[in-house]
Amino acid sequence: MTRVFNFSAGPAALPEPVLRRAAEEMLDWHGSGMSVMEMSHRGKEFIGIAAQAESLLRELLAIPANYKVLFMQGGAIGENAIVPMNLLRGKASIDFVDTGEWSKKSIKEAKKYARANVVASAADSGYDRVPPRETWKLDPDAAYVHICSNETIGGVEYHFTPDVGAVPLVADMSSDILSRPLDVSKYGLIYGGAQKNIGPAGLTIVIVRDDLIGHALPITPSAFDFKTVAENESMYNTPPTYAIYIAGLVFQWLKDQGGLAAMAEHNRRKAGVLYDYLGGTGFYRSPVQPDCRSLMNVPFKLTDETLDAAFLKGAEARGMVQLKGHRSVGGMRASIYNAMPIEGVKALVAYMKEFEAQHG
Ligand code: PMP
């Protein structure tokens, strides 16, 4: 068996020990005689698995007691509708900071439910940065302020938590949740799809402050009403059971690695190897301003784009896959989530140097 270095933006590489453990437990979970996939979500085994996953997530992120953790479905794109349906609380508008493709998707969807005010945008500079907090024109009467903490396509990440006063801060953290410690109390709501740093696709994590629950618009589907989901411990409908189980194994793995502070250090070192090299070569370049560069998704361009196909082919031949940038921006993108070992990044940089020496 040969495993590749998988730079996919998501679904993405998972920690190998998690996959091995899942394989070992596939046919018979802890003597139950069943696979987790075959368990009733109402049985004691699965209820224990879900409770353990939630408890580990709470511990990793130090989630305060006045926040609920919801295991939902529909992905982050689903939440782009579910969040406004639940959080308007009689207000007419939502403030958005526009940092790229995923912000734009959130804005477009929210417009079905409320007025969307773009209070700051990096569109004019080609989405190469987070607009400085001082430039945001916030409305104190907005239902909430929405940000995307890490633009997976553009590779732009917040390296600060914006202070938005009394208005709840809502963040799409699909691609950087669990990559570093987080002060959850600064947010009203955090959401993200699982398929990058958490586990398999199909599970969506929502962390929401208690006072923001219970205000859903009457049209909200019951399965997406935070109150219904919370009151039923995320089991109003059948949850994505296997994805929750794998997420729990990933949370345990994160804890075994030393938790999120250790993970943040690991991620800084890893991304540093790549950005240091990009900073010293004219053959490749990073399209993002240095203080906003993502530690999770590293887009880079070859100065001579006619070499893109040859670059990708050579990478694949060396066991490095999924380096092609998103179709909307082109170029390359290396997604280096928690599960990517530093050896993968070093192998990529070694190949980039070799390719530069050949073609530069
Ligand atoms: N937001 C961000 C930041 C993402 O990276 C993605 C997925 N790449 C999405 C939203 C959409 O997530 P999903 O496909 O799970 O709905």
Side-chain angles (χ1 to χ4, degrees):
M1 182 197 66
T2 316
R3 297 225 349 127
V4 292
F5 286 126
N6 175 8
F7 294 93
S8 168
L14 286 171
E16 202 170 301
V18 166
L19 297 176
R20 288 190 187 283
R21 174 135 174 227
E24 279 163 21
E25 296 179 344
M26 178 60 80
L27 294 178
D28 177 11
W29 182 85
H30 296 203
S32 65
M34 286 180 273
S35 168
V36 175
M37 254 182 276
E38 304 169 302
M39 287 176 183
S40 163
H41 60 298
R42 312 240 177 248
K44 65 174 185 328
E45 293 93 348
F46 184 74
I47 287 178
I49 288 170
Q52 171 74 356
E54 174 175 342
S55 150
L56 284 166
L57 181 63
R58 283 188 171 278
E59 184 182 338
L60 286 167
L61 284 170
I63 300 175
N66 64 324
Y67 284 73
K68 292 279 184 298
V69 171
L70 309 179
F71 294 137
M72 299 185 69
Q73 294 174 80
I77 289 186
E79 292 302 325
N80 283 341
I82 295 167
V83 173
M85 277 194 269
N86 278 274
L87 250 57
L88 282 177
R89 304 173 342 277
K91 310 254 185 198
S93 69
I94 305 162
D95 282 352
F96 281 91
V97 180
D98 173 21
T99 46
E101 295 304 316
W102 292 110
S103 300
K104 284 196 282 186
K105 278 240 165 62
S106 297
I107 294 165
K108 187 168 168 222
E109 190 71 16
K111 280 184 177 164
K112 294 182 180 174
Y113 307 96
R115 209 169 64 239
N117 288 330
V118 178
V119 297
S121 174
D124 286 350
S125 58
Y127 291 119
D128 65 343
R129 69 192 70 190
V130 174
R133 170 65 190 86
E134 315 81 76
T135 64
W136 302 7
K137 300 197 170 57
L138 295 174
D139 171 6
D141 206 34
Y144 57 90
V145 181
H146 181 282
I147 63 168
C148 176
S149 60
N150 184 62
E151 287 281 355
T152 320
I153 294 173
V156 171
E157 185 172 20
Y158 282 72
H159 295 298
F160 64 99
T161 306
D163 181 353
V164 295
V167 175
L169 179 63
V170 170
D172 173 358
M173 290 198 187
S174 294
S175 51
D176 67 348
I177 192 164
L178 298 177
S179 66
R180 55 184 175 181
L182 190 64
D183 183 352
V184 173
S185 73
K186 298 230 164 79
Y187 298 82
L189 185 147
I190 291 165
Y191 67 91
Q195 66 271 22
K196 299 153 197 310
N197 255 344
I198 295 176
L203 168 65
T204 317
I205 302 274
V206 175
I207 302 167
V208 54
R209 209 172 61 210
D210 284 340
D211 62 289
L212 299 175
I213 298 176
H215 311 281
L217 297 177
I219 58 154
T220 309
S222 307
F224 297 147
D225 180 334
F226 292 152
K227 184 160 186 273
T228 310
V229 179
E231 282 176 355
N232 289 278
E233 315 247 303
S234 301
M235 299 208 196
Y236 177 71
N237 61 335
T238 312
T241 51
Y242 197 75
I244 292 171
Y245 156 70
I246 298 287
L249 296 186
V250 172
F251 299 155
Q252 183 62 55
W253 175 80
L254 282 169
K255 193 175 159 180
D256 296 343
Q257 304 308 298
L260 299 191
M263 215 19 83
E265 181 49 34
H266 165 70
N267 287 327
R268 259 195 304 273
R269 272 197 297 129
K270 249 166 39 185
V273 171
L274 198 39
Y275 285 122
D276 284 351
Y277 174 59
L278 287 171
T281 161
F283 190 77
Y284 308 92
R285 67 188 170 81
S286 160
V288 182
Q289 295 294 316
D291 60 340
C292 306
R293 287 179 180 167
S294 170
L295 302 193
M296 296 285 100
N297 310 97
V298 182
F300 60 91
K301 303 231 172 189
L302 275 71
T303 310
D304 178 359
E305 289 180 16
T306 64
L307 294 171
D308 282 6
F311 178 87
L312 288 166
K313 195 162 165 241
E316 263 199 64
R318 289 162 180 77
M320 290 177 277
V321 304
Q322 297 289 341
L323 282 162
K324 194 173 173 151
H326 191 268
R327 59 190 180 280
S328 62
V329 291
M332 306 298 149
R333 172 178 52 174
S335 294
I336 50 172
Y337 300 115
N338 288 339
M340 172 61 68
I342 195 156
E343 292 72 28
V345 179
K346 286 184 175 162
L348 172 61
V349 169
Y351 168 60
M352 287 168 76
K353 284 183 185 160
E354 181 193 329
F355 191 84
E356 177 175 354
Q358 253 171 28
H359 298 274

